Amino acid sequence: MLCTDPKKSDSLAFGNFIHLISIKRLRIEIMCPLGVHTFFSAFMPEQAAAKAALILPCIALLLWLSSILTSKQEPEGKPVSLPGWSLLSIWPFFERRFDFLHRGFQITGQSIYQFKLLHNTVVVLSGESARRDFFQSKQLDLNAGFKFLSGAIPMMPGVTSNLQARQVALIHKRLVAAQSSERLSRLIPEILDDSRRLLDCWGISGTLDPFNELSQLIFQTTVRSIGCADLADDAEVVAQLKNLYDTLDTATTPASVLFSWFPSPSAVKRLLATKKIYDIINRAVTERLQGGVPRDDTLQLLLDHEDDKMLIVGFIMGLLVAGSRSTGTTGSWMITFLSGHPHWQATAAGEVKRLLERYSSHPTYSPACDPSSQPHSLASLSAQLSDIPLEAWENEVPVLDSIIRETLRLAEPHAAMRQNVGPEIRLGGKIVPGGAYVVYPYSDVHLNPELYPDPLRFDPARGVSKMPYAYVGLGGGNTMCLGQRLAKLELKLITALLVLGFELHAVDQAGLVLDELPQPDWNDTLTWTLHFVFVVRLYQLLSLYFT
Ligand code: HEM
């Protein structure tokens, strides 16, 4: 807009000079020299005023150009920010993570967005290309991500946390060695025997809470498999350890994660539980070192490699959580799903029976031959299952494999968490600055109706999608689960015992069979358990199977 009255235009132009410089280029060029000249001529001779009127706008123009060139532009590709940064608005990230993350996608209308957690940037991803970049990136650190965003591991600097990269690499190497084929083959009868012992306590019929009983059972077999045989043999110590690990879970609160330095009651509880776990495991390692009898277990494997004592203690303390928590919950959900799907119970039982027919050399129990052996046939079933070799458990059980896969797809409310420990990178085309945290919710694929039609339905018969990273239940790309060989073996052995040994029904508290199974709570990212009353009714089937 041009001003035609020179007087008016002078005053207006000068009054708005600074403002105009920054926002209205056209008006500056035309109006400033005139107005400035009139202004200066009021104070100085005509010639000097003319010079000043020319020089000043040039300086202003230069300043303006340099401010444009040096100004911090919002980089193109920066993820849109979630409005609201107060602690209150991000609290649900810890308490109802699934809802929080999905509301973020809805509010921003974007497949990638970011929010602030204290002074840290957290980028949330979804979509095919972001997922691919995420799982393939080498500079996203899982441990750093979990330490800051989850905090649900025993924190003992130098033992279970703040480990150097070479210590983490050594722990991973030993974990692979602990799952060698020879070692897993020797573990089969031990896992079966532990499980059979605990299943015997369930009785011939009755009800049980799978989220309690299965997680206890799998804690026992995990202590046996990656811990120490002396601990696994002592039922009291195993129960004590389980309680302490449960305390770590229940005492993990948003405040204890965000302000881990603050000695809140839950932080103190966590600290005490961690110290007690340390004492139990350290004592077992010390006793073995000081002349205990060598056993065929993971502790002995670590001692034989002459690993540092603190690394050994940290290995057992850390992997007992990684191993038992996820395997226990997966086992509980598997039994829940099987108890509501008699067809899959029977199909799984049929698959294991065929393996028994092929591999078992133990005589099949028959009440006619040995009427006195009722009803303790779980022992003989476990002995028969021990005859099935590891290769068969790993390669000849497509039904059990698909039941595990479908259980993890439907009931593993995991969000993968990382820290970008390198320079700025792009994931899915969006910028993730160095030091920022990145979260990828598994629901992006596992509950995606385009990949899994009717995604909340349990259906092990679903095909596997060919889309890259369409199934990430045991990780993907650079971070695959390093304990999956053991986890799958434990789950298969326990399921075999259950489907051949019992008939399972999901019932309510009154004992009535449920029409509909309970759904997993995707907001319960830590323990994945159920929060309402539900039980599984058992009938021991052995007399049917062995006649
Ligand atoms: C059914 C049981 C299990 C499930 C569902 C499971 C799932 C996973 C998943 C999804 C990851 C990748 C995490 C991510 O990308 O954010 C992972 C990593 C890992 N898992 Fe498992 N896991 C199970 C059992 C175990 C067991 C028994 C152990 C050890 C005894 C174990 C040790 C590990 C370790 C060490 C990693 C980290 C790998 C790395 O840093 O690259 N897991 N697991």
Side-chain angles (χ1 to χ4, degrees), residues 287-315:
E287 278 171 11
R288 183 78 64 84
L289 262 174
Q290 294 173 348
V293 183
R295 302 278 300 263
D296 180 16
D297 59 8
T298 300
L299 170 58
Q300 198 61 45
L301 180 142
L302 300 170
L303 290 173
D304 291 348
H305 278 99
E306 298 183 357
D307 287 330
D308 175 66
K309 188 178 168 201
M310 278 309 107
L311 185 118
I312 298 179
V313 175
F315 178 102

Side-chain angles (χ1 to χ4, degrees), residues 338-450:
L338 288 177
S339 68
H341 292 88
H343 162 71
W344 285 107
Q345 230 176 102
T347 314
E351 180 171 83
V352 185
K353 275 184 201 172
R354 283 191 293 281
L355 288 188
L356 280 179
E357 277 154 23
R358 181 151 176 219
Y359 293 105
S360 181
S361 53
H362 277 77
T364 308
Y365 165 78
S366 156
C369 318
D370 181 8
S372 65
S373 64
Q374 285 247 18
H376 17 57
S377 316
L378 273 176
S380 63
L381 173 58
S382 137
Q384 289 185 44
L385 290 170
S386 303
D387 291 339
I388 301 174
L390 176 71
E391 299 71 48
W393 287 114
E394 293 200 314
N395 305 316
E396 295 175 36
V397 284
V399 174
L400 290 183
D401 278 321
S402 60
I403 290 173
I404 294 176
R405 197 178 53 242
E406 181 67 349
T407 302
L408 284 176
R409 182 194 68 76
L410 195 49
E412 186 192 14
H414 185 59
M417 296 186 268
R418 310 276 191 271
Q419 185 179 24
N420 177 10
V421 290
E424 174 181 296
I425 42 166
R426 278 185 185 256
L427 301 176
K430 296 289 180 192
I431 292 173
V432 175
Y437 292 89
V438 190
V439 172
Y440 176 73
Y442 279 17
S443 52
D444 179 47
V445 268
H446 289 177
L447 297 186
N448 183 340
E450 282 170 26

Side-chain angles (χ1 to χ4, degrees), residues 134-135 142-143 146 168 171-172 175 179 222 226 315 318-331 404 408 412 414-418 440 442 471-476 478-488 490-491 528:
F134 176 85
F135 282 110
L142 178 142
N143 291 311
F146 268 87
V168 175
I171 288 176
H172 288 178
L175 178 56
Q179 296 166 94
T222 309
I226 55 159
F315 178 102
L319 291 180
L320 273 185
V321 196
S324 61
R325 191 189 280 147
S326 35
T327 318
T329 321
T330 308
I404 294 176
L408 284 176
E412 186 192 14
H414 185 59
M417 296 186 268
R418 310 276 191 271
Y440 176 73
Y442 279 17
Y471 172 74
V472 286
L474 287 160
N478 291 323
T479 42
M480 289 306 294
C481 172
L482 293 176
Q484 59 174 296
R485 247 188 125 181
L486 171 64
K488 286 197 215 162
E490 282 180 275
L491 290 171
W528 328 346

